[in-house]
Every structure is written in structure tokens, then in C-alpha cells.
Amino acid sequence: MSEIEAFIAKLPKVELHLHIEGTFEPELMLEIAERNGLPAPFPSVEAAHRAYRFDDLQSFLDLYYRGMNVLLKAEDFRDLALAYFARAHADNVRHAELFFDPQAHTDRGVALDSVFEGLCSAMEQAATDYGITSCLIPNFLRHLDESSAQSAFDACLDHRDAITGSGLDSGERGNPPSKFARVFERVRAEGFHIVAHAGEEGPASYVTEALDILGAERIDHGVRAMDDDALIERLAAQETVLTVCPQSNVRLKVVAEMADHPLKRMAERGLKVTINSDDPSYFGAYIGDNMIWCQQALALTREDLVAMTQNAITGSFVDQLRKKQMGDELADCSQV
Ligand code: ADE
Ligand code: ZN
């Protein structure tokens, strides 16, 4: 392991853009399919990996929704999240904000109670076993209509103490944030945090809509903001945190290769970028590998990596005390 790899390994990490269903490793998928008496989504682990070649966001989403079909019971969601936390602990993740897609489960007849029970139980276990703090952010599926998002939000309000905010994900093209103006008005009125995927495949104008119409506090991806100078200046001035997912962008052909990724240019333009894994099982890289691959391709310095980690701490939805604890840990690590 090189010196910089060792530095990245011990960096205390904060992950702000992670779909828990996107951490579903094929081994566990096949195991859960069998115990639930369901057909396996893929004939073998190798076949799953072979299938994970994507042309764009939609070709990935098709397999992502197929894989999660085997999750039925609370214990399935618990096992899914426990596997993620074990992997996150190996990467020295200290805090993770987990996205999940309520509609992708309730539309298949899975009780939202089971989803919350399983995920919350794993989150408590991760806090006890690893000292990892975490929170839950349900995302509305933007390819569905707003009334479906409204029903999903109603159902989530029955678990209001378990959620920290709401987000927007799934197929971006043709589904602008403005389609969800009314549901996010309710999310704001209920006092939750707001994030939104914007500017992944969709245009920079979707980032502007997410800020102005939804009231997004963070932008998930946001790489296409680089097409709009005025937007870059605005995001920099208001210090909006962008949860960038470099390996996801390569695998979904948002960028041709890691060497072309705008992450470093975004930081140089004053944007508060962070490095995240998005759907690590499907893209073959958890947060640590995302950092290593970015460092190598873009010649990131230790200072760059520390600054990006500090952006993640600042942009997280934890209280000031936890932010200070993590900031202190980061300062200790960066002095060595
Ligand atoms: N759902 C899971 N991963 C996603 C991504 N990268 N973009 C949009 N929706 C998603
Ligand atoms: Zn995402």
C-alpha cells in the first residue's frame, strides 16, 4: 500500500450519498432470494457481475430495481444494512446518511414498517459495534408522478422520528425537480432537510430548480453544474455541498474516464465537493476506493482529500457536537 493509500485508509470518512439498496452485493442477494423462496435475479454471482455493464443511468436503474425485488422482510433490510456497515467500518466511515427508495418497496407490497424496522435495527447495531452514526433519507422516485411521492411522504410521516430529510432520485432526464414542487413544500413545512439528485444526466437548470423550487440544501451529483458559470459562482458563494460520486459517473458514462472527471476542477472553482460511492455494489467501489481512484487519476493531494472530508462533515445533518468530534478526528489524522 502506498503512503497516500495508507493515508486514505485511515481518513475518518463521512458518506452523504449512498443508496442502501445500491450496496446489495450479489452473494447476499442470492442468499436472501433463496430464503424467501424467490427466483434469483441472476443465475450466479459471476453472472451478476457480468451484467453490471451500464450504458447510462437507466440501464443501471433497471438492474438496481430488479435486484432489490428479493427484499421482503425486516430481517432482509437489516442484513442488507449490516453488510454495508461492516464494509463501511473497514473504510473507517464515521457517519453515513443512507438513502432508500420507499416507493420501490411499497409498490411491490412490502410494508414500510418492515423497511424501517430492518434499517433502524442495523443502524443501532452499527452505532454500538462500530461507533458509526447514521441517519435515513427517503428519496422519491422521480420517474413516478407527484401523487405517488405524496403518498410515500404520508407513509414516511408515520415514522417521522426515523427520518432526517427527503431526497429525489431515479431517472433524471425529463423529470425535472419542478415536477415535485408541492410534495417538497410539505417536506419543508414539516421541518425536514432536503436534498436532490440534480445535474447527473440532467442539465444544469435542474440544479437551479432543485435549489429554488425544492429548497435543496445539498445537491447529489451536480457535475453538470459545470456547464453554467453563473450557477458555479452561486453554488460557491452559498457554499452548497455537492455529493459527487466519481466512480458512479464513470460506470454510468456521465464521464468517459476518471481522468476526465470534473471533481478537481469543481474544487478549484470553489465548490464544496465531497466524494461518495452512490451504489458501491453495482459500481465496484466503496468510498475508500472512490477516494483512491480519484487521487490517482486527478492527482489529489492530502490537503484536497482533507478539505473534501471537511466539506462532508460540514454538510452532514448531524448536530454541532458530532460535527466537532468528527472535525477533531480529521484534524488529528491530517497532522500525522
Ligand atoms: N438511484 C440509485 N442510484 C441512483 C443514481 N445514481 N441516480 C439516480 N437515482 C439513483
Ligand atoms: Zn445517487
Side-chain angles (χ1 to χ4, degrees):
M1 195 188 283
S2 69
E3 219 175 291
I4 187 86
E5 282 176 18
F7 176 77
I8 290 171
K10 69 178 173 52
L11 200 63
K13 300 175 186 67
V14 171
E15 177 135 67
L16 301 181
H17 187 157
L18 183 276
H19 301 262
I20 195 65
E21 298 94 337
T23 69
F24 206 1
E25 291 288 347
E27 288 82 356
L28 184 61
M29 197 183 281
L30 298 187
E31 188 185 315
I32 292 181
E34 191 175 344
R35 88 181 177 210
N36 284 338
L38 293 170
F42 303 97
S44 65
V45 169
E46 296 70 34
H49 286 299
R50 276 197 302 275
Y52 294 174
R53 283 171 208 276
F54 311 111
D55 296 322
D56 55 11
L57 174 58
Q58 190 57 50
S59 62
F60 153 70
L61 290 170
D62 293 343
L63 293 196
Y64 165 82
Y65 294 124
R66 188 207 288 184
M68 71 176 81
N69 276 339
V70 304
L71 298 166
L72 300 182
K73 303 177 191 144
E75 66 182 282
D76 304 338
F77 289 92
R78 176 179 155 82
D79 288 349
L80 170 70
L82 283 178
Y84 164 67
F85 283 121
R87 189 63 189 71
H89 175 59
D91 266 344
N92 204 19
V93 170
R94 309 300 303 130
H95 175 72
E97 310 210 337
L98 312 188
F99 294 160
F100 71 107
D101 292 325
Q103 293 147 289
H105 308 301
T106 53
D107 288 3
R108 309 182 277 116
V110 171
L112 200 56
D113 288 355
S114 304
V115 180
F116 275 101
E117 184 188 328
L119 295 180
C120 291
S121 152
M123 290 161 70
E124 282 167 28
Q125 187 89 47
T128 307
D129 291 355
Y130 307 130
I132 299 179
T133 52
S134 58
C135 64
L136 282 180
I137 302 181
N139 276 226
F140 304 126
L141 297 181
R142 70 201 307 157
H143 67 275
L144 301 179
D145 60 25
E146 192 181 33
S147 68
S148 172
Q150 294 278 20
S151 307
F153 186 54
D154 287 335
C156 285
L157 284 178
D158 292 340
H159 301 268
R160 62 160 62 238
D161 293 342
I163 64 173
T164 296
S166 283
L168 185 64
D169 69 359
S170 196
E172 188 179 9
R173 284 200 193 112
N175 294 304
S178 51
K179 183 177 159 186
F180 298 91
R182 283 152 298 266
V183 67
F184 278 96
E185 199 177 306
R186 288 181 62 215
V187 174
R188 280 199 307 278
E190 294 285 351
F192 293 108
H193 288 291
I194 295 179
V195 298
H197 283 57
E200 179 185 16
E201 279 190 344
S205 63
Y206 283 17
V207 176
T208 305
E209 280 194 15
L211 297 170
D212 291 340
I213 301 178
L214 307 187
E217 296 158 73
R218 298 194 306 239
I219 297 294
D220 298 317
H221 293 292
V223 287
R224 294 283 305 275
M226 289 298 274
D227 298 341
D228 181 338
D229 282 335
L231 178 59
I232 295 171
E233 275 162 36
R234 173 184 178 184
L235 290 166
Q238 64 190 39
E239 304 191 354
T240 301
V241 168
L242 303 179
T243 65
V244 181
C245 305
Q247 178 64 2
S248 163
N249 295 153
V250 172
R251 293 291 301 271
L252 301 187
K253 301 192 175 3
V254 168
V255 299
E257 55 181 318
M258 197 61 102
D260 298 331
H261 198 283
L263 179 79
K264 187 156 176 145
R265 278 178 274 129
M266 293 168 86
E268 285 164 356
R269 297 287 304 266
L271 298 180
K272 298 285 183 197
V273 294
T274 63
I275 297 178
N276 305 268
S277 67
D278 207 5
D279 302 282
S281 157
Y282 291 89
F283 304 143
Y286 284 79
I287 189 170
D289 283 337
N290 265 277
M291 286 184 173
I292 289 172
W293 296 351
C294 285
Q295 190 281 323
Q296 288 170 350
L298 306 173
L300 300 184
T301 63
R302 284 183 182 217
E303 290 70 30
D304 292 331
L305 292 160
V306 169
M308 290 176 195
T309 304
Q310 184 58 55
N311 292 341
I313 295 172
T314 307
S316 70
F317 296 145
V318 294
D319 61 26
Q320 290 306 323
L321 177 64
R322 182 78 181 122
K323 283 189 186 182
K324 180 168 181 334
Q325 281 172 351
M326 295 193 291
D328 289 348
E329 246 190 281
L330 179 61
D332 286 348
C333 164
S334 43
Q335 268 156 21
V336 184

